[in-house]
Amino acid sequence: MLFQDKADLFPNCDFIVGYDTYRRVLHPKYYAPPGSSERSSAEEQAAWVLEALRRLQSRQIRFVAGAALLAVGFNALLRTGELLGLTHRHLVIHDRGHGMSVIFPGSKTSQGNPQVVLVQDRQLVSFARSIREPRRKDLLWPAGPRQFRVQFAKMLTKLGFAPDDYSPYSLRRGGATWFFQSSLSMDATVARGRWSCSKTATQYIDEGTSQLAQVFFTPLQRSRIRLWRLEGMRLRQEGEEEAGVPHIDPWEADRGRLIDALRLCGAAFIPIKKDVFGEGPHFPAWQDLWREALEDFKSFCKRSVVRKRQLRFSKGEDLLRTRVGESKAHTPDVRYNFGVGHDAASEGREGWRDLAWICDDFRRMLSILTNMVKEELSLAAADFKEPCGTLAAKVLSDCESWAGSRLRHSLYPPNGSCTEHTDYGVLTLQQSTGPGLEYFADNSWQTLEPPNGFAVIFAGDMLEVMTNGQVRALVHRVSPGDFRQSHIVFLQPDRDTIVQPLQSHLRKDGTDFPPVTYGEWHSKKTSLAFRKFLPAKGGQNSKIIWLSHGFVHGLL
């Protein structure tokens, strides 16, 4: 994606780029119109560049060079001289895994011998892969120390920080504090920083930790950092094979970055860690229960959890109607669904008997989502007071019980399918036994198949409301194919919870999303999916008004 295209997505923003990218911004070959000749005159080429610069200027775009150096310097705890001495060949990306070795000829503590620092930050390695040219021997920053200090000061100014309070050496000091807090090992920190004496490293960490406790980001600084972080994730994706859907680790490297990741396309892949997910979905046991429901329905109905309607078995949704409206004839999707509500899981596992694993798994996955949302909101709403009774206020005060949440286990027979729709709640977490899940992006349907060892998490209608449209609810479907199972948890608020845009996301220009009471929202969408009709005022049938991207903006 060219910078003039990015400018349309992020107007009035600052782009931190590598020095080589900074120079290529003025290269004519990136702005040649379709069908133009390589022999175009210098005047024609200059006109292309001038037109591109005008477009960038009209969007109020500014560039700050040195992104790769800043990230490498901070992560590897490099001195300024070491940092400015790096060339393309000094970044050695490993063929397997996500590691990278940063090699530099020597430093004041190495007695002229080469030194190596291992970088394992997945985002940084992906970023370095996208900008590295291994055959080149020239410096990553060829403009010299003075220009580096100038650009460093510009970056601080754009972020809203005082340039006099920081120097390029702050990268090493801050990096040491970060690494020690991450590793909790002074020996590992001293080795990474290559100090000859641990006393110096201890001094850095003590000073850094005390200063960190006094740091307070203003709303403007948080906003700018958030925007730059999002653009960094876009650049990272350009360097990965599957550029459409980001891979994030919300428990470690990408903690607190889920909403930023979902801004890209509405979905993300997260690793299935056994200490977090436990044993995972019991797909063979679900299939056995399905056979019981089909072949011996009377025995299935004698189960106490079925009689109490704690475990439900259904087939009859037409989810496309939730997008098209009641004018569409009701045609059920071709799949079978087991469903468990929040109340059933919260009552305890005793009544579930031999099906207690269903209750245990629902609780575990629900805990994953609720903790994730609370952490995200604690960052997104840190500088603002959310109105009483709204979802954000209830989550942050531990008053939200998420009573609307559901576990669903879907089984698709051969050629089974599910029509396109968006999910009703905040987040959806899904694990499946095979391909078939697709999402709509860039005017086409695309495969949403996580790699082995990953689950998919995506945005629902309520997250779109909370972010004021910055995160779009994922339009998705399941296409016909082989027999398939999907294990899904929908994170949905209490019925009386009011969902509205976060205070930090309000535009206050008349285009903000209106508040929604979740119970009313859920009832109206399910009435369409299950062919129930809700009379509106005046005795007429309810109608739906859709925005172009598929979000239900108003139910009349």
Side-chain angles (χ1 to χ4, degrees), residues 484-541:
R484 178 180 184 274
Q485 298 185 62
S486 292
H487 193 68
I488 314 162
V489 171
F490 304 103
L491 185 64
Q492 301 174 160
D494 301 339
R495 291 192 62 83
D496 62 349
T497 296
I498 299 171
V499 185
Q500 66 180 42
L502 298 170
Q503 297 297 298
S504 58
H505 289 64
L506 288 173
R507 293 183 288 268
K508 298 182 179 180
D509 59 358
T511 63
D512 292 321
F513 280 56
V516 175
T517 301
Y518 182 71
E520 296 177 3
W521 176 264
H522 186 91
S523 295
K524 290 174 180 177
K525 288 198 78 172
T526 54
S527 71
L528 290 168
F530 286 99
R531 202 179 184 181
K532 297 175 184 177
F533 297 95
L534 294 178
K537 294 181 180 179
Q540 296 178 351
N541 288 333

Side-chain angles (χ1 to χ4, degrees), residues 79-115:
R79 301 175 177 89
T80 307
E82 297 168 348
L83 187 62
L84 299 182
L86 291 178
T87 70
H88 287 262
R89 290 191 172 186
H90 288 145
L91 304 181
V92 180
I93 298 175
H94 304 169
D95 292 335
R96 296 182 179 180
H98 302 289
M100 175 178 69
S101 294
V102 181
I103 305 172
F104 37 97
S107 65
K108 66 180 185 180
T109 60
S110 68
Q111 299 179 348
N113 297 317
Q115 292 183 311

